[in-house]
Amino acid sequence: MCGIAGWVDPCGRLRDGEHVAAAMAATLAGRGPDGHGVWANSHAALAHRRLAVLDPDHGHQPMLVADDSNRTIAALAYTGEVFNHAELRSALELLGHKFATRTDTEVVLHACLEWGLDAVHRLHGMFAFAYWDVATRRLLLVRDRLGIKPLCYRIDGPRVYFGSEPKALRGVGPTEIDPDGLRDLLACVRTPGRTLLRGVSEVRPGTVLIVDPRGVREHRYWRLEPAPHQDDRATTVDTVRGLLTDITTTQLHADVRLGSLLSGGLDSSALTALAQNALRSTDTKLSTFAVDFAGNTGDFAPDALRTTPDAPYVRDMAAHCGLDHRDIVLDSTALTDPAVRHAVVAARDLPAAGDMDSSLYLLFRAVREHATVVLSGESADEVFGGYSWFHDPQAISRADYPWRYFAGRSGACRALLRDDIAAALDPTAHRADHYRQSLTEIPTLPGESEIQRRMREIFWLHYTHWLPDLLDRKDRLSMAVGLEVRVPFCDHKLIEYAFNIPWRLQTFDGREKSLLRAAVADLLPSSVTARVKAPYPITHDPAYGRALREQAADLLAAPAAPVWDYLDRNRLRDRLRRPLTDRATRSGLDFTLNFDIWLRQLAK
């Protein structure tokens, strides 16, 4: 996993191309602590920051291919993992290609050289890369099917700048907030391709951006398609188990220390058990990591979302599977540290989601001391219908996105807006319009029942407008500390299969994630298979609320703070009078602090 940046002008010559590309990549230093490189010619400049995972002693990037006269004919800046690189390498060797490293980067380079644009259909994994063909002066900006790895760009006349994150593009154009991007943030919706910065776009998942002398255009190479599901329940369960076994085993390949995140929930426990099963023949204990909070044993208070803490289930899993387990215990001092808050906002390039983002960042930072790569159970809820609203008839029937808010945010954020800003942005109307437009994009299967058609819509909306926010959060906060997080549940073969499973099979035992539970039940302790879904944990320590109140009060005492261009000081003052045991109030204060930090960072 790495960071990439660069710029091209297929029609004109670059000035100071290497220096500009290197400065762009320098903003991504956290993504690549193990090395950096730049390549440039008269029309293109590619830069790279490396996190070495495969063949650490080789694989310097940008990687080049030369002809018999030692002239460069193609260059690649790549980030991610292509998990079928060994098979592709064998196929390319039969076609006469020769390799100097064991990296998947070199395989991707030669695949593009051999198959051109069609190479993307052969890549299986999570990736984003820039491939430059010298002779045709053509740049391919490629993003994986689900958008696991980020990739952004800015068009400036004939020139196109690109980078793994928006921060890489802030120095090559004006830094202005996009009102529609801000509407998305406040309405808790996600528009594929849009960012919070005017003029900066994302390469959409499953898409190639092509830049050449003819101009700039998009090529969509993958999308979810509806199809009849022919398998019965037993076959479906067996297929899910087989897919997950193959996917997890493949994603264990690395030349560096590897582990797994473990919450004691069904998703992470399933992957952890499958991984430990795959490692059993090597007599290796899988390293696992769980987040917990100081004082949570005494402070934990069950609510509608979290009926139990994670710790007892984590202990059951560690004992049952024989894991090499570590608890990462965070305290409120670390969670409210202003330096951590600034680092989290900088990593995300947006106002971060309070203690949920801060704790995830601190978890990743601690895990990085013991591993370079970890597996995560992210996206199982999207694949197998795990969220509570999947099973709430009112939420499903409502003419709106079934989720009310993105993780860690709430309506308290919108409630703090100044009246003029609220009127100008109107996030409520924006969300309604956004939802109606999204419905027009959903593929349908003739002859489906009304409930099956609606559940297909619900799954599709999660894949395209909910999951991208979670994947972006995971990538940004992990890569900020040089940790690669792999998400096996985002394998496109699994998602293609699950997308067409009828809802009656997805819920055959009357519970959430029926198929996943049935597929892995024999690997897990009974306590974990019986556990009701719980979201990512939060701290219950009153000290967090007290520190949050003090920081918000300090911000109130700064009338020139940039956040008051958007938020109402009196409304924040009113929030400070409310008990911070209320999650929405706490979320609003966190949002205010992070919004102010983000505005200050943009102004630099």
Side-chain angles (χ1 to χ4, degrees):
M1 213 67 75
C2 310
I4 66 173
W7 61 308
V8 302
D9 186 343
C11 301
R13 300 179 68 86
L14 301 186
R15 289 186 178 182
D16 207 14
E18 187 171 333
H19 175 76
V20 171
M24 294 169 67
T27 67
L28 308 172
R31 301 185 71 93
D34 298 328
H36 58 89
V38 183
W39 172 86
N41 70 3
S42 57
H43 294 285
L46 277 60
H48 187 263
R49 302 288 308 206
R50 188 185 187 200
L51 175 64
V53 172
L54 293 174
D55 198 0
D57 294 333
H58 304 93
H60 179 78
Q61 293 193 51
M63 193 171 281
L64 313 175
V65 173
D67 61 16
D68 293 338
S69 302
N70 204 33
R71 291 177 298 189
T72 298
I73 59 174
L76 176 73
Y78 162 87
T79 176
E81 303 292 340
V82 169
F83 297 115
N84 64 331
H85 66 93
E87 301 96 294
L88 292 175
R89 179 189 300 269
S90 297
L92 288 163
E93 286 175 335
L94 289 175
L95 294 170
H97 292 260
K98 299 184 186 306
F99 294 88
T101 76
R102 293 185 292 104
T103 64
D104 56 338
T105 304
E106 191 175 16
V107 173
V108 172
L109 175 57
H110 283 264
C112 290
L113 192 65
E114 178 66 34
W115 298 305
L117 189 59
D118 288 338
V120 296
H121 298 286
R122 301 171 185 257
L123 306 180
H124 190 161
M126 52 184 202
F127 49 81
F129 61 84
Y131 173 80
W132 175 253
D133 185 298
V134 174
T136 61
R137 285 175 284 147
R138 184 173 75 162
L139 175 73
L140 303 181
L141 292 178
V142 181
R143 196 170 179 204
D144 65 64
R145 294 166 180 83
L146 271 297
I148 302 168
K149 303 312 298 176
L151 184 57
C152 304
Y153 65 94
R154 181 194 292 272
I155 299 173
D156 182 12
R159 296 175 177 172
V160 174
Y161 300 85
F162 63 88
S164 291
E165 301 175 7
K167 62 174 61 67
L169 305 175
R170 280 166 47 188
V172 293
T175 301
E176 300 173 359
I177 295 173
D178 184 338
D180 285 331
L182 191 54
R183 288 186 181 96
D184 280 359
L185 179 78
L186 294 168
C188 290
V189 297
R190 183 94 180 196
T191 303
R194 183 179 291 158
T195 76
L196 279 163
L197 298 184
R198 192 192 304 272
V200 176
S201 302
E202 288 184 340
V203 177
R204 300 172 192 240
T207 299
V208 182
L209 191 76
I210 304 169
V211 184
D212 60 21
R214 295 167 50 199
V216 180
R217 56 200 180 277
E218 287 185 322
H219 169 70
R220 181 81 170 267
Y221 71 89
W222 182 85
R223 63 173 286 161
L224 277 172
E225 297 291 350
H229 184 78
Q230 307 291 355
D231 296 341
D232 60 17
R233 182 200 299 178
T235 304
T236 301
V237 170
D238 287 346
T239 301
V240 169
R241 173 63 171 266
L243 284 167
L244 285 173
T245 299
D246 291 344
I247 292 163
T248 305
T249 301
T250 300
Q251 296 200 18
L252 291 175
H253 295 166
D255 293 333
V256 292
R257 295 176 298 173
L258 180 142
S260 184
L261 302 177
L262 179 62
S263 69
L266 180 62
D267 313 340
S268 64
S269 297
L271 292 183
T272 296
L274 287 165
Q276 183 61 74
N277 220 32
L279 294 172
R280 206 169 300 283
S281 61
T282 65
D283 199 29
T284 301
K285 281 190 173 185
L286 181 68
S287 295
T288 56
F289 308 91
V291 67
D292 202 354
F293 300 93
N296 253 20
T297 302
D299 296 329
F300 181 82
D303 57 28
L305 291 178
R306 301 172 182 85
T307 57
T308 56
D310 289 345
Y313 302 94
V314 170
R315 288 194 295 269
D316 287 351
M317 270 297 297
H320 184 80
C321 295
L323 306 171
D324 177 18
H325 181 73
R326 289 179 178 84
D327 287 322
I328 307 299
V329 181
L330 307 177
D331 61 29
S332 293
T333 300
L335 289 169
T336 57
D337 182 348
V340 169
R341 191 180 289 276
H342 280 76
V344 169
V345 173
R348 292 217 59 189
D349 282 313
L350 53 75
D355 61 315
M356 292 186 70
D357 280 7
S358 296
S359 65
L360 195 59
Y361 171 83
L362 291 168
L363 168 65
F364 289 151
R365 192 172 72 179
V367 169
R368 185 62 176 88
E369 298 177 7
H370 307 282
T372 304
V373 177
V374 290
L375 305 182
S376 166
E378 194 81 88
S379 83
D381 289 310
E382 290 76 17
V383 177
F384 295 107
Y387 295 114
S388 60
W389 50 79
F390 274 90
H391 310 272
D392 179 349
Q394 286 188 329
I396 293 303
S397 62
R398 191 168 52 236
D400 188 8
Y401 291 108
W403 59 86
R404 294 180 65 196
Y405 312 114
F406 281 155
R409 301 182 206 150
S410 77
C413 307
R414 295 204 298 266
L416 292 169
L417 291 173
R418 284 173 25 176
D419 289 340
D420 57 331
I421 298 297
L425 295 176
D426 199 353
T428 301
H430 176 72
R431 180 180 170 107
D433 292 342
H434 198 278
Y435 172 74
R436 286 191 291 268
Q437 174 59 36
S438 296
L439 288 182
T440 68
E441 303 165 1
I442 301 175
T444 59
L445 188 67
E448 285 189 318
S449 66
E450 183 63 22
I451 183 61
Q452 183 57 31
R453 179 198 62 78
R454 179 54 176 165
M455 294 314 297
R456 186 182 296 282
E457 290 178 348
I458 296 297
F459 276 102
W460 192 90
L461 291 171
H462 277 80
Y463 284 133
T464 56
H465 298 289
W466 167 274
L467 181 59
D469 192 72
L470 299 183
L471 293 176
D472 186 72
R473 171 178 176 244
K474 184 86 72 181
D475 175 87
R476 299 299 197 85
L477 297 176
S478 62
M479 291 306 297
V481 296
L483 179 71
E484 175 179 307
V485 177
R486 297 178 179 177
V487 280
F489 285 112
C490 277
D491 181 275
H492 74 279
K493 293 295 185 184
L494 174 65
I495 287 176
E496 287 171 347
Y497 184 74
F499 181 61
N500 289 300
I501 297 174
W503 183 237
R504 58 179 173 78
L505 281 183
Q506 288 273 23
T507 56
F508 72 82
D509 65 357
R511 295 192 58 189
E512 81 286 353
K513 294 183 282 197
S514 304
L515 289 174
L516 177 59
R517 183 175 291 101
V520 298
D522 62 306
L523 299 174
L524 304 177
S526 59
S527 61
V528 172
T529 57
R531 188 185 184 191
V532 176
K533 176 189 165 45
Y536 182 81
I538 61 172
T539 180
H540 294 264
D541 183 1
Y544 182 86
R546 290 194 295 269
L548 189 61
R549 188 189 297 275
E550 291 173 4
Q551 292 174 9
D554 289 342
L555 184 59
L556 268 176
V563 74
W564 306 130
D565 290 339
Y566 295 87
L567 304 187
D568 188 304
R569 293 178 70 199
N570 289 326
R571 287 174 180 155
L572 181 69
R573 189 175 286 111
D574 177 66
R575 293 300 185 279
L576 285 176
R577 300 189 185 103
R578 301 181 183 182
L580 288 176
T581 51
D582 175 50
R583 180 65 183 169
T585 298
R586 199 166 94 169
S587 176
L589 298 186
D590 266 321
F591 174 78
T592 301
L593 293 169
N594 291 341
F595 196 8
D596 186 70
I597 292 169
W598 179 62
L599 292 171
R600 292 174 189 272
Q601 290 177 350
L602 288 182
K604 290 183 179 178

